[in-house]
Amino acid sequence: MTAISKPIIMTAMMGKQDLAWADALRRAHYPPERNILPAHITLFHHLPPQALSEIKQAVKEITQYSAPPITSLQRLIHLGSGVAYQLHSPELLDIRMDMADRFHGLLVAQDQQTPRLHITVQNKVSAKEAKELLNRLSLDFEPRSFQIKGLALHYYMDGPWKLIGEWPFRG
């Protein structure tokens, strides 16, 4: 297999029903010409491709011994030019922080921050359009449990992503 020299993105994999729900919202509200990815939860935005074997090993180890993290859909958030659902998951953040410690020295500035776990369902629209969707979705929103089933790695291919692999939590 030829090595790809594109940044690596790490995501948390949603359960089947939650992915279907989030992706339907994204398809309905994201500008179609910009919606080139399914709904996703980004944990790291830019890991170096030269560290792929180390990254894969870390993902395999952590998913092998970790149970699926308890997660809830917490609230809607206004992104200025879009709308997202914020997730609450101290366990997933702990997993992510463990990974950040392991990858110390490899992280870009954005990935050195503690992330605000979220699923973007609209982006790159006017502030007015985003606020209207936020208000509409808020009418029937209720916090609920949300399934995270594993971790995935992808290459960032200057827009679209190429899947490297998926690892379910097995602990």
Side-chain angles (χ1 to χ4, degrees), residues 60-151:
K60 288 175 185 177
E61 287 173 12
I62 207 147
T63 55
Q64 180 179 4
Y65 298 109
S66 298
I70 295 170
T71 305
S72 64
L73 202 59
Q74 187 173 40
R75 65 184 184 101
L76 283 148
I77 49 177
H78 187 253
L79 300 174
S81 62
V83 176
Y85 285 87
Q86 187 168 355
L87 298 167
H88 178 73
S89 183
E91 293 175 359
L92 183 56
L93 279 177
D94 285 347
I95 289 168
R96 197 266 182 206
M97 297 310 286
D98 179 54
M99 292 282 195
D101 287 344
R102 290 178 82 154
F103 303 149
H104 181 77
L106 300 176
L107 301 179
V108 298
Q110 181 180 20
D111 287 335
Q112 292 175 25
Q113 313 293 322
T114 301
R116 178 173 63 172
L117 300 173
H118 67 281
I119 304 161
T120 303
V121 296
Q122 181 191 58
N123 206 2
K124 313 289 190 209
V125 300
S126 70
K128 181 179 185 274
E129 191 176 346
K131 187 69 171 163
E132 288 171 358
L133 179 61
L134 179 74
N135 291 338
R136 215 171 39 238
L137 293 176
S138 294
L139 292 175
D140 62 356
F141 175 75
E142 292 185 21
R144 64 174 177 82
S145 63
F146 197 88
Q147 185 185 26
I148 301 295
K149 68 177 191 171
L151 300 177

Side-chain angles (χ1 to χ4, degrees), residues 23-31 35 121:
D23 205 42
L25 281 169
R26 187 174 170 100
R27 284 192 313 274
H29 302 296
Y30 214 96
N35 192 21
V121 296

Side-chain angles (χ1 to χ4, degrees), residues 8-52:
I8 297 169
I9 299 164
M10 184 186 298
T11 61
M13 297 164 38
M14 295 176 237
K16 189 175 183 176
Q17 289 180 329
D18 288 325
L19 175 59
W21 168 83
D23 205 42
L25 281 169
R26 187 174 170 100
R27 284 192 313 274
H29 302 296
Y30 214 96
E33 68 279 2
R34 294 184 175 272
N35 192 21
I36 58 173
L37 300 170
H40 55 277
I41 303 162
T42 304
L43 300 178
F44 290 96
H45 295 85
H46 186 135
L47 296 168
Q50 63 271 25
L52 177 61

